[in-house]
Amino acid sequence: MSVLFGLYVPPHPHPLLAPNQNEGWGQLRDAYDTARKRIEDSDADIILVYSTTWPSIIGHQIQAHPEPKWVHVDDDFHFLGSMPYEFRMDSEFAESYRDTCEARGLVARTIAYDGFPIDTGSVVALKLLNPDNRIPACIVSSNMYANRAETIVLGKAAQDALAEQGKKAVVVVVSSMSNRMFTKHIEAHEDRIHSQKDEEWNQKILEFFADGRLEDISQLSREIHGQIRVQKVVAYKPAWWMAAVMGQHNNYHGEVLAYAALHGSGGAVIQLTPTADSVGDKEFDEDDVDVYRGDRNVLVTGARDIDAAAGVKEDDTTAKKGSGKSKNRPKVSSRPSENVIHTSDAPTPVGAYPHARKVGDLLYLSGVGPRQPDTDEIPGGPIEDKKGKPRDYDIKAQTKACIENVRTILEASGSSLDDVLDVTAFLVDMKRDFKGYNKIYADYFEPIQATRTTLAVSALPTPIAVELKVIARAH
Amino acid sequence: MSKGEIVLGCLAPHPPHLVYADNPPQNQPISEGGWETLRWGYAKLARKLKEIDYDVIVLLTPHWQTYIGTHFLGCEKFKSLSVDPVFPNLFRYNYDLEVDVALSEAMCDAASKAGIVTQMMRNPDFRVDYGTITSCHLLNPEWDKPIVCISSNRSRHYYSVEVMNEQAAALGTACRKAIENSGKRVVMVASHSLSHRHFTEEAPLPEDMSREHIYNHSQYVWDMKMVDLMRNGEMKQVFDLMPEFTEQTMAETEGGGLSWMMTAMGFPDYPAEIYGYQSVIGTGNVIAAWDPDANTREVVL
């Protein structure tokens, strides 16, 4: 389990700087203290923070300074006092998180500058949750243009980085619920939720949280934004990120530790702990997404996505470049600076890797199995059932599907099956399957004459019998 | 005491890229240059400011965003390091500036009397935003004049761009009264770009001008419409168009800077001095000035 539990906490400085001035602010402070103790009692390796008060524009920024230090003052609530801080960041994790973001098609960069202005929400959360820097932290920004798909992929990339680093995390989302503040000064004792409508929506969301229904809140995010978030260019996205990093389900033990008004906005400290027996069922009304294929390549005038965005058809682009190949080439998301290729027409990767990568004149493909891109169905059947019991399967059908997937990726990369130079094949049962695999292989590759190595392995990551690793000529 | 006056109004965008490209000693990152059209324009406007007799720069900044009214810097000196939260690779600037606290308080009082929610910012640890630093540096690299720095109230986020425009106008009127009562000669600065849709990627070399262009044609057409109105001295029309312009181009005018300044200057009906227009990471930036003195006003571009 890479995420031990998640916390949803408010960004305003009142629980840190003025907990005694208002009963609700004090309750939020007490809840923060409870959460702090639970973090201390856990065996978390890292506190991973997504802050809605750190807007970014150039992709997603990840704090990587090992020991950021400053005296922070809030733009609005400067009269409450200063917030000196010295934090301990997990720079190694930050670098890994950036890499996993890029592998999923996001623009991301680490930030490690003396004096970088860490946002109010992150400062408040880390000072209250981790005052002694007992556990290193990592903070990721909230890109102001990012919407659902991009934010969900950002969450999944965090999950990738945790898995890659083998770290256990407490995930912290810093965000208000309703965020309409009073636009006038108020006395501390006058604080209340800005309107009855905001209060009713906050209660509805708190009920979902208490039931552990994080994915349902994620699915409701656009509605929440329309109802109780002030008009801005940004969407309400913290639940998208939190759900994505915590597994996109409703199986949590939810606990609302406190809820109170913070200058009119709704502030809550909520804990979500993964469990096996919560609400469980969920309803998706939008597609899930694993790789971001958005409009971020606006600077890259030669990129295929840009041509498409500008109304130039794929075939027109191909014609201009004179290749004449791949008439029905699938749409690809290619990052030319890194020469990384993802395609939605091949099976979704089961880890933080692209389908292919171009280096010089060569294309290196990640291992390709027989799974079907849209359904994950395995032609010829899986080698075992869901309980792990072995079942009969058709190695010829699996091998054929493997090779067709290889063809799809090569064509998405501007290459073809005819350009394959070298194949490494992995079989889970050499004795049973070699003959059938070898027959189908010959049907495709005899005229191509690629070099080949066939290995027996004890298992593959999904219930398949064969996987191919390919190197091909690039064009 | 003679009546105070606004001796010049400047629309002074604050992309940190310009300071980065200038390589002043205060800024840590080093560049190969870039965005020369804007930097040459700024240099010419800075030379004009050297020829003008003024006491203080009064600036409204969109990067000090306040939701609870309008705030004014209220300490005499601020000295610190400003790091741009979006482009920290380009802008890490050591600043040391003086505030005209008396004028700041006078404006705050005048605005408050006009019904605007206001507050003085007295916390000495407060870090002045990079937009203020950038505009001030480019207009007055010697930093030999005090400033008044006013936050941008985000009424547009809570209500609408129309409310933002009216509130900015009310603030402009109040600030003008305070300036007149102060007896001081003021240069007003609206620190912002026009169209403001950014690229979300940065070129490997940020100053690679082969990658620089306006985000899209629509933004450019809107920018040119506004610049033409400025050149023709039709600032009341600019004010009236501001809500639509702001919505269509995601413009930084949402902070109210230009509406505030134009109202304070009585909606100039004389041509603006245009010092340059160029995109910066996709946003549209014009440097313009309004000189009430016909004898010193010039057609720059």
Side-chain angles (χ1 to χ4, degrees):
Chain A
M1 184 72 70
S2 58
V3 177
L4 300 175
F5 58 87
L7 292 167
Y8 190 106
V9 298
H12 298 78
H14 306 65
L16 174 68
L17 298 174
N20 300 323
Q21 292 184 22
N22 173 287
E23 188 181 350
W25 304 349
Q27 289 167 354
L28 287 168
R29 173 59 172 267
D30 291 343
Y32 255 120
D33 289 343
T34 300
R36 170 180 56 78
K37 287 175 193 149
R38 292 180 182 178
I39 293 173
E40 288 170 1
D41 292 342
S42 76
D43 58 348
D45 303 307
I46 185 169
I47 298 173
L48 177 55
V49 179
Y50 173 87
S51 177
T52 56
T53 55
W54 181 11
S56 60
I57 289 170
I58 306 299
H60 304 273
Q61 301 198 136
I62 303 165
Q63 181 57 247
H65 194 300
E67 293 177 331
K69 179 180 175 182
W70 199 257
V71 178
H72 179 70
V73 178
D74 185 68
D75 278 357
D76 260 307
F77 300 106
H78 41 77
F79 55 88
L80 290 178
S82 305
M83 293 174 267
Y85 65 79
E86 288 186 54
F87 296 137
R88 181 162 70 99
M89 295 291 158
D90 187 336
S91 306
E92 187 187 359
F93 178 83
E95 302 288 339
S96 173
Y97 191 8
R98 178 202 57 208
D99 292 345
T100 56
C101 284
E102 291 183 344
R104 285 182 178 269
L106 298 170
V107 172
R109 64 184 184 189
T110 51
I111 297 296
Y113 299 106
D114 288 343
F116 181 85
I118 294 181
D119 60 288
T120 295
S122 296
V123 170
V124 170
L126 286 177
K127 278 183 74 75
L128 290 175
L129 294 174
N130 195 35
D132 303 323
N133 290 315
R134 184 181 299 224
I135 301 167
C138 179
I139 313 169
V140 63
S141 70
S142 173
N143 183 290
M144 66 180 290
Y145 297 113
N147 219 307
R148 178 179 174 273
E150 191 167 354
T151 308
I152 284 176
V153 172
L154 183 70
K156 290 184 176 180
Q159 204 177 49
D160 295 342
L162 290 171
E164 190 173 288
Q165 297 252 308
K167 287 182 174 165
K168 294 187 288 294
V170 170
V171 165
V172 177
V173 156
V174 185
S175 175
S176 304
M177 302 176 73
S178 62
N179 72 343
R180 180 175 285 271
M181 294 193 295
F182 293 110
T183 53
K184 296 179 178 176
H185 305 295
I186 59 167
E187 295 301 320
H189 70 271
E190 296 174 323
D191 205 356
R192 59 176 175 80
I193 298 295
H194 190 275
S195 69
Q196 182 64 23
K197 175 177 71 74
D198 285 2
E199 171 65 18
E200 287 166 357
W201 269 92
N202 286 340
Q203 290 297 343
K204 185 179 183 70
I205 297 165
L206 289 171
E207 190 179 329
F208 273 63
F209 270 123
D211 287 344
R213 297 169 65 185
L214 177 58
E215 180 57 30
D216 282 350
I217 296 171
S218 172
Q219 296 285 324
L220 279 170
S221 288
R222 295 187 206 280
E223 180 69 12
I224 291 169
H225 182 76
Q227 293 290 344
I228 57 169
R229 305 288 287 187
V230 299
Q231 178 197 353
K232 290 185 186 179
V233 290
V234 298
Y236 175 74
K237 51 194 122 182
W240 286 331
W241 183 86
M242 192 177 197
V245 74
M246 291 184 69
Q248 292 179 295
H249 54 75
N250 285 320
N251 291 323
Y252 303 98
H253 172 69
E255 189 177 1
V256 178
L257 298 171
Y259 163 67
L262 289 164
H263 204 86
S265 70
V269 177
I270 300 160
Q271 181 173 341
L272 288 173
T273 308
T275 180
D277 56 354
S278 187
V279 171
D281 66 319
K282 60 186 176 183
E283 182 176 310
F284 284 104
D285 55 7
E286 294 181 83
D287 289 341
D288 194 16
V289 56
D290 290 309
V291 176
Y292 186 66
R293 298 181 175 87
D295 60 351
R296 295 291 179 249
N297 292 337
V298 288
L299 282 177
V300 187
T301 52
R304 294 175 186 131
D305 282 353
I306 297 310
D307 291 338
V312 179
K313 293 177 183 173
E314 283 280 321
D315 288 348
D316 296 340
T317 313
T318 305
K320 270 192 293 183
K321 291 173 183 168
S323 78
K325 286 187 176 180
S326 306
K327 190 174 179 184
N328 298 313
R329 188 174 60 202
K331 186 181 179 187
V332 299
S333 171
S334 175
R335 291 170 47 75
S337 61
E338 305 252 342
N339 295 310
V340 165
I341 292 112
H342 296 275
T343 173
S344 57
D345 290 345
T348 305
V350 295
Y353 56 84
H355 286 108
R357 187 160 185 160
K358 183 181 172 187
V359 180
D361 296 332
L362 294 177
L363 270 172
Y364 294 84
L365 270 60
S366 300
V368 180
R371 279 183 302 123
Q372 294 302 283
D374 296 329
T375 61
D376 271 353
E377 185 187 331
I378 299 168
I383 64 171
E384 59 188 25
D385 63 19
K386 287 182 179 174
K387 293 179 180 172
K389 186 179 172 188
R391 63 183 300 282
D392 194 23
Y393 58 90
D394 180 353
I395 186 61
K396 288 184 179 177
Q398 286 207 15
T399 305
K400 188 173 180 183
C402 264
I403 296 171
E404 289 299 332
N405 282 336
V406 167
R407 185 205 299 276
T408 298
I409 295 168
L410 288 169
E411 292 185 354
S413 310
S415 184
S416 74
L417 209 57
D418 292 342
D419 292 304
V420 172
L421 301 173
D422 182 64
V423 179
T424 304
F426 302 90
L427 300 177
V428 295
D429 191 339
M430 184 72 79
K431 194 171 179 181
R432 176 189 185 279
D433 292 338
F434 182 80
K435 192 175 173 185
Y437 141 81
N438 207 35
K439 168 73 175 68
I440 300 300
Y441 183 92
D443 291 346
Y444 282 90
F445 283 102
E446 191 162 16
I448 298 169
Q449 287 296 298
T451 54
R452 188 187 86 178
T453 306
T454 304
L455 303 169
V457 294
S458 61
L460 289 164
T462 53
I464 58 176
V466 56
E467 181 169 306
L468 302 181
K469 175 89 179 76
V470 168
I471 300 172
R473 263 186 299 269
H475 295 283
Chain B
M1 184 173 69
S2 60
K3 190 177 175 184
E5 61 182 320
I6 299 164
V7 297
L8 195 72
C10 303
L11 177 54
H14 56 253
H17 305 66
L18 303 186
V19 173
Y20 165 68
D22 256 352
N23 291 319
Q26 299 100 320
N27 199 37
Q28 294 169 9
I30 303 296
S31 77
E32 295 179 8
W35 301 279
E36 278 75 10
T37 304
L38 283 176
R39 292 197 291 123
W40 295 337
Y42 252 124
K44 184 169 176 62
L45 179 54
R47 287 198 295 275
K48 176 172 177 122
L49 279 177
K50 282 285 164 209
E51 303 299 317
I52 291 176
D53 175 24
Y54 71 101
D55 302 306
V56 56
I57 292 173
V58 175
L59 175 144
L60 191 145
T61 174
H63 287 287
W64 179 12
Q65 300 187 2
T66 51
Y67 292 86
I68 309 162
T70 301
H71 299 213
F72 298 75
L73 286 187
C75 300
E76 286 187 358
K77 291 180 78 68
F78 288 92
K79 181 178 181 180
S80 188
L81 172 70
S82 173
V83 180
D84 183 340
V86 174
F87 300 101
N89 52 324
L90 308 183
F91 190 87
R92 303 190 299 277
Y93 185 102
N94 293 283
Y95 64 88
D96 185 355
L97 61 84
E98 283 184 32
V99 174
D100 185 336
V101 176
L103 182 57
S104 196
E105 288 172 340
M107 286 184 171
C108 185
D109 288 346
S112 184
K113 283 175 186 160
I116 298 168
V117 175
T118 60
Q119 180 143 22
M120 292 298 294
M121 204 303 298
R122 308 279 192 191
N123 190 323
D125 295 328
F126 187 81
R127 179 149 51 175
V128 179
D129 70 283
Y130 80 90
T132 295
I133 303 297
T134 297
S135 291
C136 286
H137 171 86
L138 292 166
L139 289 170
N140 180 29
E142 290 77 20
W143 288 90
D144 55 1
K145 300 285 184 183
I147 70 167
V148 168
C149 178
I150 307 172
S151 77
S152 56
N153 177 255
R154 312 316 279 189
S155 54
R156 177 252 195 284
H157 291 170
Y158 282 82
Y159 305 108
S160 68
V161 281
E162 285 79 9
V163 171
M164 172 275 294
N165 219 30
E166 293 304 318
Q167 191 162 310
L171 182 66
T173 302
C175 287
R176 181 192 178 101
K177 282 183 191 165
I179 290 167
E180 288 174 350
N181 291 337
S182 73
K184 290 178 178 170
R185 294 170 61 81
V186 165
V187 169
M188 285 192 103
V189 177
S191 168
H192 58 75
S193 60
L194 292 179
S195 66
H196 205 64
R197 184 60 166 93
H198 291 82
F199 296 136
T200 52
E201 291 182 8
E202 189 175 54
L205 184 69
E207 59 268 40
D208 180 352
M209 289 296 101
S210 70
R211 303 290 190 94
E212 186 62 77
H213 58 85
I214 194 74
Y215 187 85
N216 65 34
H217 182 60
S218 168
Q219 307 272 40
Y220 185 78
V221 170
W222 263 109
D223 284 350
M224 286 306 109
K225 182 180 182 68
M226 297 303 255
V227 170
D228 277 348
L229 290 169
M230 293 174 190
R231 290 162 66 101
N232 293 326
E234 297 180 84
M235 293 314 296
K236 184 64 173 69
Q237 195 172 339
V238 168
F239 178 84
D240 292 340
L241 269 175
M242 195 63 75
E244 189 178 359
F245 172 72
T246 302
E247 285 201 322
Q248 293 291 329
T249 65
M250 299 179 71
E252 274 187 315
T253 47
E254 72 166 5
L258 190 56
S259 295
W260 161 78
M261 186 168 75
M262 288 300 102
T263 309
M265 297 185 76
F267 303 110
D269 56 2
Y270 47 82
E273 298 171 341
I274 304 295
Y275 287 86
Y277 174 89
Q278 193 173 15
S279 72
V280 180
I281 200 155
T283 66
N285 296 266
V286 65
I287 302 167
W290 287 264
D291 186 346
D293 186 344
N295 295 317
T296 53
R297 187 186 314 143
E298 58 180 322
V299 177
V300 183
L301 290 175

